[in-house]
Coordinates of all heavy atoms in Angstrom, one line a residue:
T19 N 58.8 -73.4 96.3 CA 58.4 -74.1 97.6 C 58.5 -73.2 98.7 O 57.6 -73.2 99.6 CB 59.4 -75.3 97.8 OG1 59.3 -76.2 96.7 CG2 59.2 -76.0 99.0
S20 N 59.5 -72.4 98.8 CA 59.7 -71.4 99.9 C 58.5 -70.4 99.9 O 57.9 -70.2 101.0 CB 61.0 -70.7 99.8 OG 61.1 -69.7 100.8
L21 N 58.2 -69.9 98.8 CA 57.1 -69.0 98.7 C 55.7 -69.6 99.1 O 54.9 -69.0 99.7 CB 57.0 -68.4 97.3 CG 58.1 -67.5 96.9 CD1 58.0 -67.1 95.4 CD2 58.1 -66.2 97.7
A22 N 55.6 -70.9 98.7 CA 54.3 -71.5 99.0 C 54.1 -71.6 100.5 O 53.0 -71.3 101.0 CB 54.3 -72.9 98.3
L23 N 55.1 -72.0 101.2 CA 54.9 -72.1 102.7 C 54.8 -70.8 103.3 O 53.9 -70.6 104.2 CB 56.1 -72.9 103.3 CG 56.0 -73.2 104.8 CD1 54.7 -74.0 105.0 CD2 57.2 -74.0 105.3
A24 N 55.5 -69.8 102.8 CA 55.4 -68.4 103.4 C 54.0 -67.9 103.1 O 53.4 -67.3 104.0 CB 56.4 -67.5 102.8
A25 N 53.5 -68.1 101.9 CA 52.2 -67.6 101.6 C 51.1 -68.3 102.4 O 50.1 -67.7 102.8 CB 51.9 -67.8 100.1
A26 N 51.3 -69.6 102.6 CA 50.3 -70.4 103.4 C 50.2 -69.8 104.8 O 49.2 -69.8 105.4 CB 50.6 -71.9 103.4
M27 N 51.3 -69.4 105.3 CA 51.4 -68.9 106.7 C 50.9 -67.4 106.7 O 50.7 -66.9 107.8 CB 52.8 -68.9 107.2 CG 53.4 -70.3 107.3 SD 52.4 -71.4 108.4 CE 51.5 -72.3 107.1
A28 N 50.7 -66.7 105.6 CA 50.4 -65.3 105.6 C 48.9 -65.1 106.0 O 48.5 -64.0 106.3 CB 50.6 -64.7 104.2
V29 N 48.1 -66.2 106.0 CA 46.7 -66.0 106.4 C 46.7 -65.6 107.9 O 47.5 -66.0 108.7 CB 46.0 -67.4 106.2 CG1 45.6 -68.0 107.5 CG2 44.9 -67.3 105.3
P30 N 45.7 -64.7 108.2 CA 45.6 -64.3 109.6 C 45.4 -65.5 110.5 O 44.6 -66.4 110.1 CB 44.3 -63.4 109.6 CG 44.1 -63.0 108.1 CD 44.7 -64.1 107.3
A31 N 46.0 -65.5 111.6 CA 46.0 -66.7 112.5 C 44.6 -66.8 113.1 O 43.9 -65.8 113.4 CB 47.0 -66.5 113.6
L32 N 44.2 -68.0 113.2 CA 42.9 -68.3 113.9 C 43.1 -68.8 115.3 O 43.8 -69.8 115.5 CB 42.1 -69.4 113.1 CG 41.7 -69.1 111.6 CD1 41.2 -70.4 111.0 CD2 40.7 -68.0 111.6
A33 N 42.6 -68.1 116.2 CA 42.8 -68.5 117.6 C 41.9 -69.8 117.8 O 40.7 -69.8 117.5 CB 42.4 -67.4 118.6
A34 N 42.5 -70.8 118.3 CA 41.7 -72.1 118.4 C 40.5 -72.0 119.3 O 39.5 -72.6 119.0 CB 42.7 -73.2 118.9
D35 N 40.5 -71.1 120.3 CA 39.4 -71.0 121.2 C 38.3 -70.2 120.6 O 37.1 -70.3 121.1 CB 39.8 -70.4 122.5 CG 40.6 -69.1 122.4 OD1 41.0 -68.7 121.3 OD2 40.7 -68.5 123.5
T36 N 38.5 -69.4 119.5 CA 37.4 -68.6 119.0 C 37.0 -69.1 117.5 O 36.1 -68.6 117.0 CB 37.8 -67.1 118.9 OG1 39.0 -67.0 118.1 CG2 38.1 -66.6 120.3
A37 N 37.8 -70.0 117.0 CA 37.6 -70.4 115.6 C 36.4 -71.4 115.6 O 36.2 -72.2 116.5 CB 38.8 -71.1 115.0
T38 N 35.6 -71.3 114.5 CA 34.5 -72.2 114.3 C 35.0 -73.5 113.9 O 36.2 -73.7 113.6 CB 33.5 -71.7 113.2 OG1 34.2 -71.7 112.0 CG2 33.0 -70.3 113.5
A39 N 34.1 -74.5 114.0 CA 34.6 -75.9 113.6 C 35.0 -75.9 112.1 O 36.0 -76.6 111.8 CB 33.4 -76.9 113.8
D40 N 34.3 -75.1 111.3 CA 34.7 -75.1 109.9 C 36.0 -74.4 109.7 O 36.8 -74.9 108.9 CB 33.6 -74.3 109.1 CG 32.3 -75.0 108.9 OD1 32.3 -76.3 109.1 OD2 31.3 -74.4 108.5
E41 N 36.3 -73.4 110.5 CA 37.6 -72.7 110.4 C 38.7 -73.6 110.9 O 39.8 -73.7 110.2 CB 37.6 -71.4 111.2 CG 36.8 -70.3 110.6 CD 36.6 -69.1 111.5 OE1 36.6 -69.3 112.7 OE2 36.4 -68.0 111.0
Q42 N 38.5 -74.4 111.9 CA 39.5 -75.3 112.4 C 39.7 -76.4 111.4 O 40.9 -76.8 111.2 CB 39.0 -75.9 113.8 CG 39.1 -74.9 114.9 CD 38.6 -75.4 116.2 OE1 38.2 -76.6 116.3 NE2 38.6 -74.6 117.3
A43 N 38.7 -76.9 110.8 CA 38.8 -77.9 109.8 C 39.6 -77.4 108.6 O 40.4 -78.1 108.0 CB 37.4 -78.4 109.3
Q44 N 39.4 -76.1 108.2 CA 40.1 -75.5 107.1 C 41.6 -75.4 107.4 O 42.4 -75.7 106.6 CB 39.5 -74.1 106.7 CG 40.1 -73.5 105.5 CD 39.9 -74.4 104.3 OE1 38.8 -74.7 103.9 NE2 41.0 -74.8 103.6
V45 N 41.9 -75.0 108.6 CA 43.3 -75.0 109.0 C 44.0 -76.3 108.9 O 45.1 -76.5 108.4 CB 43.5 -74.4 110.5 CG1 44.9 -74.6 111.0 CG2 43.1 -72.9 110.5
K46 N 43.3 -77.4 109.4 CA 43.8 -78.7 109.3 C 44.0 -79.1 107.9 O 45.0 -79.8 107.5 CB 42.9 -79.7 110.1 CG 43.0 -79.6 111.6 CD 42.1 -80.6 112.3 CE 42.0 -80.4 113.8 NZ 43.3 -80.5 114.5
A47 N 43.0 -78.8 107.0 CA 43.2 -79.1 105.6 C 44.3 -78.3 105.0 O 45.1 -78.9 104.1 CB 41.9 -78.7 104.9
D48 N 44.5 -77.1 105.3 CA 45.7 -76.3 104.8 C 47.0 -76.9 105.3 O 48.0 -77.0 104.5 CB 45.6 -74.8 105.3 CG 44.5 -74.0 104.6 OD1 44.0 -74.5 103.6 OD2 44.2 -72.9 105.0
V49 N 47.1 -77.4 106.5 CA 48.3 -78.0 107.0 C 48.5 -79.3 106.3 O 49.7 -79.5 105.8 CB 48.2 -78.3 108.6 CG1 49.3 -79.2 109.0 CG2 48.2 -77.0 109.3
K50 N 47.5 -80.1 106.0 CA 47.7 -81.3 105.3 C 48.1 -81.1 103.9 O 49.0 -81.8 103.4 CB 46.3 -82.1 105.3 CG 46.4 -83.5 104.7 CD 45.1 -84.2 104.8 CE 45.2 -85.6 104.1 NZ 43.9 -86.3 104.2
A51 N 47.6 -80.1 103.2 CA 48.0 -79.8 101.8 C 49.4 -79.3 101.8 O 50.2 -79.6 100.9 CB 47.0 -78.7 101.3
T52 N 49.8 -78.4 102.8 CA 51.1 -77.9 102.8 C 52.1 -79.1 103.0 O 53.1 -79.2 102.4 CB 51.3 -76.9 103.9 OG1 50.4 -75.8 103.7 CG2 52.7 -76.3 104.0

């Protein structure tokens, strides 16, 4: 469980102001899955 959350957070951060709609949707999906 600990590794899963750490690994999910290891993805490079997406700045909300420069992320595409698809990237923002993917972040929301990753948050929901986590």
Side-chain angles (χ1 to χ4, degrees):
T19 299
S20 177
L21 291 172
L23 188 55
M27 298 302 102
V29 115
L32 296 172
D35 55 346
T36 60
T38 66
D40 286 345
E41 289 170 331
Q42 289 175 1
Q44 186 62 56
V45 168
K46 288 183 186 300
D48 287 348
V49 168
K50 185 176 180 181
T52 300

